[in-house]
Amino acid sequence: MRAIPALSLAAALLMTAALTNAPGSALADTLDQKLRAGFKNGELPGLHGAVIDLGKRRLAEIYFPGKDERWGSPIGERQHGPDTLHDLRSVTKSVVGLLYGIALAEGKVPAPSEPLYAQFPDYPDLMAEPGRDRILVAHALSMQMGLEWNEDLPYSDPRNSEIGMERASDRYRYVLEQPIREAPGQSWIYSGGAVALLGRLIEIGTGMSLDAYARHTLFEPLGISHFEWVRGADGTPSAASGLRLTLPDLAKIGHLVAQDGRYDGKQVVPKAWIEESVTPRADVTEGTRYGYLWYIAGRPKAPLAIAVGNGGQRLTVQPEHDFVVAAFVGRYNDPLSWQTSLKVTLDYAAPAAKALLSRQQP
């Protein structure tokens, strides 16, 4: 589901500076207490939990009770904890990006340079329409297909493109038949439909459902056994927003990205694909760009890889220090929901990491 753009330039630079400048005063050992105080004082509205890691050291792991949803359906008050599954919403897209890289290395999905519509031969009428042959797989990975798509409307509105896709009798035709708005590669157009197509390519190439392939190639190597991938009315796992994980397991995915696709000594995602994923390809907002299903911010030589989702879900990764911040928030459909998880990152996580790094310096 539609997510607030990842991180402003000023915020990204602030976080980078917090990890690289002179010694700070925050103590990582008191970070849990600081987060509890911030939540109690109303500074972190809707926060369900946060995990903050610097390398192998866990600086904080904190959970709070709160009302929650499962893919848009209220499930009431929850006492969140380390074993609680939680919606990732659009953070799901970034996980699909990792899966695509694994499948590509196995030779099971088309390369980014391949024409997109040629991968869907069941729709010859669409393939024959002028201009669609110019859309590549890379344009879906970077959300630059040039097709009309609108997820700015409320998700209760049937005119919202993702809702339209979920209600369509054929979700893939629905995406592929959208009017051409501009030539591919011109601009970034947020599209859950693009990710649905990529998920389908993974399923076609591997002969497995998206959740089964994720379990086998990504989750098991990371020691993730407890997850859910919500399916639409047609029985298809929602590649755009349906994944549910625990907070510690989301942090594992952050470390995987920080370590160039390696986890516990094993190369799970090809290093080259991680590099491709965090290579800027489209402008989102000032200071925020988009790679292959990941937002990118910060300095070019020390980028931040960021995944965000409706309600305030966020995974922030700074590979330079293997610094990972994962946060779950329950402010679904609130246009300001991003503020809670960003505050966790900038006001709590970064100062604590800065303090610890400064003590490690000679």
Side-chain angles (χ1 to χ4, degrees), residues 52-345:
I52 302 167
D53 290 345
L54 185 64
K56 295 183 178 181
R57 179 165 182 174
R58 178 142 295 174
L59 304 187
E61 183 174 354
I62 195 81
Y63 301 95
F64 300 100
K67 292 182 179 180
D68 203 9
E69 296 182 3
R70 176 185 176 273
W71 210 47
S73 297
I75 56 176
E77 187 82 8
R78 288 290 184 270
Q79 179 60 56
H80 298 96
D83 299 321
T84 305
L85 290 178
H86 196 285
D87 278 8
L88 300 192
R89 299 297 174 98
S90 286
V91 176
T92 303
K93 295 175 172 67
S94 300
V95 176
V96 172
L98 299 178
L99 293 174
Y100 200 91
I102 297 172
L104 181 63
E106 295 177 340
K108 294 179 178 178
V109 292
S113 59
E114 292 295 316
L116 179 65
Y117 279 71
Q119 316 308 319
F120 294 90
D122 290 344
Y123 310 109
D125 56 321
L126 298 177
M127 292 173 61
E129 292 183 7
R132 297 191 188 271
D133 59 328
R134 299 172 58 191
I135 303 174
L136 307 178
V137 172
H139 293 133
L141 286 162
S142 60
M143 295 194 184
Q144 297 182 96
M145 293 194 300
L147 302 181
E148 293 284 357
W149 197 267
N150 184 1
E151 290 189 46
D152 291 328
L153 296 167
Y155 285 93
S156 58
D157 191 327
R159 296 173 299 169
N160 180 298
S161 295
E162 184 171 334
I163 298 303
M165 176 180 69
E166 289 297 334
R167 294 181 177 182
S169 59
D170 182 339
R171 67 176 61 224
Y172 308 114
R173 170 172 282 277
Y174 178 87
V175 179
L176 292 167
E177 71 182 3
Q178 293 302 305
I180 296 176
R181 168 175 157 179
E182 62 190 25
Q186 294 283 309
S187 62
W188 185 79
I189 303 171
Y190 186 84
S191 173
V195 189
L197 297 178
L198 295 167
R200 181 56 179 159
L201 292 181
I202 293 172
E203 293 186 332
I204 292 172
T206 64
M208 304 172 70
S209 65
L210 195 60
D211 51 346
Y213 186 68
R215 179 189 297 276
H216 176 66
T217 64
L218 181 61
F219 295 157
E220 287 182 356
L222 269 60
I224 297 174
S225 58
H226 185 38
F227 75 96
E228 180 186 12
W229 208 312
V230 182
R231 296 170 180 262
D234 60 358
T236 301
S238 170
S241 58
L243 184 58
R244 290 167 57 81
L245 291 176
T246 69
L247 197 50
D249 285 344
L250 179 59
K252 291 179 180 179
I253 292 174
H255 287 291
L256 176 78
V257 173
Q259 297 164 17
D260 293 325
R262 293 182 66 82
Y263 191 84
D264 198 21
K266 180 180 179 181
Q267 195 74 44
V268 179
V269 180
K271 178 180 178 180
W273 185 255
I274 298 294
E275 293 172 348
E276 289 288 316
S277 298
V278 298
T279 297
R281 301 173 191 280
D283 293 325
V284 178
T285 61
E286 182 182 357
T288 304
R289 303 195 69 192
Y290 205 69
Y292 281 165
L293 301 184
W294 285 83
Y295 293 95
I296 305 150
R299 295 182 288 112
K301 293 185 178 180
L304 305 176
I306 304 162
V308 294
N310 183 311
Q313 323 321 319
R314 181 184 295 267
L315 176 62
T316 302
V317 182
Q318 189 176 58
E320 183 182 11
H321 297 290
D322 192 12
F323 179 58
V324 174
V325 183
F328 287 155
V329 184
R331 297 172 64 179
Y332 301 105
N333 300 316
D334 179 346
L336 299 180
S337 62
W338 57 273
Q339 293 181 346
T340 295
S341 50
L342 184 59
K343 191 174 184 66
V344 168
T345 302

